[in-house]
Amino acid sequence: MQPTQPSWPARLRRINPTGAFLAALALMLVGLFAPGVVGGAALFLLAGGLVMLLRLTWPAVPPAGRLLRLLVLTLLVAAALAKIF
């Protein structure tokens, strides 16, 4: 049976980098400036996208880059939890 949709890496290659950056920036700004649960949810959504990208690119990233990405992800989740609580 053949898959009907392309894989995640194939889908990501078709995304416009400028549009992805602007969408992530908008989501980050909404997350930082929106009050309470709304801001926390936006930051968690951004963290979920980052986890997906981290999982797909993990083998290609050197160990120092992996550590930096995990640090950024940790800070993003901590900011989201601080917004909610």
Side-chain angles (χ1 to χ4, degrees), residues 22-44:
L22 292 175
L25 179 65
L27 199 54
M28 183 70 163
L29 291 174
V30 166
L32 291 176
F33 292 115
V37 176
V38 175
L43 291 176
F44 272 128

Side-chain angles (χ1 to χ4, degrees), residues 13-29:
R13 279 192 293 268
R14 294 185 301 190
I15 293 176
N16 180 3
T18 305
F21 170 75
L22 292 175
L25 179 65
L27 199 54
M28 183 70 163
L29 291 174

Side-chain angles (χ1 to χ4, degrees), residues 3-4 7 9 18 21 34-35 40 47 54 56 61 65 67 71-72 74 77-78:
T4 57
S7 64
T18 305
F21 170 75
L54 189 103
L56 289 173
V61 177
L67 184 63
L71 178 66
V72 169
T74 303
V77 169

Side-chain angles (χ1 to χ4, degrees), residues 51-76:
V51 166
M52 184 186 72
L53 283 175
L54 189 103
R55 192 176 65 94
L56 289 173
T57 61
W58 190 263
V61 177
R66 292 175 185 174
L67 184 63
L68 184 63
R69 288 180 182 199
L70 287 174
L71 178 66
V72 169
L73 180 63
T74 303
L75 291 174
L76 187 59

